[in-house]
Amino acid sequence: MASLLVLFVFFFISSCSAQSYNVLSFGAKPDGKTDATKAFTAVWETACASSRPVTIVVPKGRFLLRSLNFDGSKCKPKPVTFRIDGSLVAPADYRVIGNEDYWIFFQHLDGVTVYGGVLDAQGTSLWDCKKSGKNCPSGATTIGFQSSSNVVVSGLTSLNSQMFHVVINGCNNVKLQGVKVLAAGNSPNTDGIHVQSSSTVSIFNTKISTGDDCVSIGPGTNGLWIENVACGPGHGISIGSLGKDSVEEGVQNVTVKTVTFTGTDNGVRIKSWARPSSGFARNIRFQHCVMNNVGNPILIDQNYCPRNENCPRQVSGIKISDVLFVDIHGTSATEVGVKLDCSPKKPCTGIRLEDVKLTYRNKPAASACVHAGGIEAGFLQPNCL
């Protein structure tokens, strides 16, 4: 009984010590028409100056926002929570934020949580511009976290991003859960979640439908766990592209588990440019994945060259090793369900294919392997390694 009383007192004191700010109190209007950027900037400045834990409340409604930078480098250190019950809406004119790197950006924070809410970037008009061949801005990533630690994103929905939806760059200890990413299957460069130069990142219980990679994993990623994700449409889950630079950090300790791919161009993929590089990909686990009519269910491509444009026609220097593909079942949309196209200079080693059963038109899908070495067991396809 005494311990329960102590616990109650602890939580009571903690709740009393937290400070809450509602954006309405700073002049924001939830009508989707009035620019609320100044109000959000003002609430951040006030929250930044507080020495107590802070919750910023965004109530129900639609809040029109231009680009925002929540920079914690000059803040008093403390946890910050954004509780979003409504929707944040980008300007309909894509040019307003189209030349910014990010629409909503968090950096230099230790302990930041974004809970709930919808981010509507209204990117369709920029996609149309790009498809028309006109001179268009590259587009803004919807939400990004950089140089931050102890980040939580929970229950967030990202709609129609101009470019990437969520970017984690240079961060440590990040958890994304219950996130939804929604964009058209033909939307350009709209990666769902991109992780690079970050450690100890987890992605759970997430649904991603977009026009590019559901999850893309860039150089410098160490310790990424992806579990219970629905992917499709999109380009699948991709490590890379790697090897774009001659001096590059590697990717290691990645687990992709219990993922369903539906109608995606690829399933699980590692891709690198065919050029010299110091980078690598190792200790990778793809486990318990279901493929539903997927173009390339299992793919290692070390001759990556989108649209065959401006490619150096060299040999990949990326070393790929210790990669496990286990319990991967379903249907391939192409005849070759497993393709391991590795580098002749640095062949893939330690590849393990176990309990891989993929079909194409009700028959076992084929396999194609070049410069790949390892072990296979319980494999429905013809021998590959």
Side-chain angles (χ1 to χ4, degrees):
M1 189 63 149
S3 61
L4 288 175
L5 181 60
V6 170
L7 190 61
F8 172 79
V9 171
F10 171 78
F11 281 113
F12 178 78
I13 293 173
S14 298
S15 62
C16 288
S17 64
Q19 202 152 11
S20 180
Y21 301 102
N22 192 312
V23 296
L24 296 181
S25 300
F26 290 78
K29 294 183 179 181
D31 58 8
K33 298 177 181 179
T34 305
D35 189 348
T37 308
K38 288 184 178 180
F40 274 68
T41 300
V43 74
W44 176 250
E45 290 174 351
T46 301
C48 190
S50 174
S51 58
R52 294 159 57 184
V54 168
T55 297
I56 295 174
V57 178
V58 182
K60 292 181 179 180
R62 291 171 63 83
F63 296 87
L64 178 65
L65 295 171
R66 291 176 282 113
S67 59
L68 285 166
N69 183 359
F70 299 114
D71 187 348
S73 60
K74 296 181 181 179
C75 290
K76 294 181 180 179
K78 75 284 187 169
V80 177
T81 298
F82 277 77
R83 199 188 81 206
I84 307 174
D85 297 321
S87 299
L88 310 185
V89 185
D93 183 350
Y94 61 80
R95 293 169 295 185
V96 176
I97 66 168
N99 287 310
E100 302 289 341
D101 291 333
Y102 295 91
W103 175 29
I104 299 168
F105 188 44
F106 296 87
Q107 62 177 332
H108 304 124
L109 291 162
D110 184 1
V112 58
T113 299
V114 178
Y115 180 80
V118 176
L119 307 182
D120 185 357
Q122 301 205 88
T124 55
S125 58
L126 179 58
W127 308 341
D128 292 339
C129 178
K130 290 181 176 180
K131 292 171 188 174
S132 71
K134 297 177 182 178
N135 185 20
C136 314
S138 58
T141 288
T142 289
I143 185 169
F145 299 85
Q146 183 169 299
S147 303
S148 296
S149 299
N150 304 311
V151 177
V152 176
V153 180
S154 180
L156 182 72
T157 298
S158 177
L159 299 178
N160 299 329
S161 183
Q162 291 189 349
M163 275 276 287
F164 291 11
H165 286 258
V166 181
V167 167
I168 308 297
N169 182 20
C171 294
N172 175 59
N173 193 23
V174 179
K175 184 175 183 179
L176 298 97
Q177 59 185 7
V179 173
K180 293 182 181 179
V181 171
L182 301 172
N186 62 351
S187 55
N189 304 116
T190 54
D191 292 46
I193 300 172
H194 178 73
V195 181
Q196 68 179 38
S197 302
S198 297
S199 60
T200 317
V201 178
S202 59
I203 301 169
F204 291 103
N205 306 323
T206 291
K207 177 177 174 55
I208 304 174
S209 303
T210 189
D212 211 296
D213 292 334
C214 291
V215 181
S216 54
I217 304 159
T221 300
N222 182 3
L224 172 62
W225 189 282
I226 300 170
E227 184 173 358
N228 195 21
V229 171
C231 171
H235 294 178
I237 292 180
S238 297
I239 295 176
S241 56
L242 305 178
K244 192 169 185 179
D245 298 319
S246 59
V247 178
E248 185 177 277
E249 293 183 283
V251 173
Q252 57 190 326
N253 305 319
V254 174
T255 296
V256 176
K257 182 179 181 181
T258 318
V259 177
T260 299
F261 300 86
T262 303
T264 51
D265 291 355
N266 308 287
V268 291
R269 174 170 63 158
I270 303 173
K271 56 179 179 174
S272 73
W273 295 86
R275 62 180 67 173
S277 178
S278 62
F280 59 84
R282 64 187 179 216
N283 193 23
I284 314 297
R285 302 288 182 266
F286 299 110
Q287 305 175 47
H288 316 310
C289 296
V290 176
M291 305 288 171
N292 296 318
N293 196 36
V294 172
N296 299 289
I298 295 175
L299 177 62
I300 295 178
D301 180 7
Q302 294 209 256
N303 292 284
Y304 176 69
C305 179
R307 297 177 298 278
N308 293 313
E309 295 176 357
N310 302 317
C311 298
R313 302 297 179 192
Q314 299 180 51
V315 176
S316 176
I318 298 293
K319 175 60 178 176
I320 297 174
S321 62
D322 191 17
V323 182
L324 172 66
F325 302 94
V326 61
D327 185 23
I328 298 179
H329 296 181
T331 56
S332 175
T334 58
E335 185 176 357
V336 179
V338 177
K339 183 178 181 181
L340 309 180
D341 185 9
C342 298
S343 169
K345 182 178 180 180
K346 293 188 176 179
C348 298
T349 58
I351 308 299
R352 183 176 179 89
L353 296 161
E354 182 177 332
D355 192 20
V356 174
K357 293 182 172 64
L358 298 167
T359 60
Y360 171 68
R361 295 183 177 176
N362 298 317
K363 295 181 180 180
S367 304
C369 302
V370 180
H371 307 297
I375 301 172
E376 58 190 10
F379 196 41
L380 187 63
Q381 284 76 13
N383 290 340
C384 186
L385 299 176

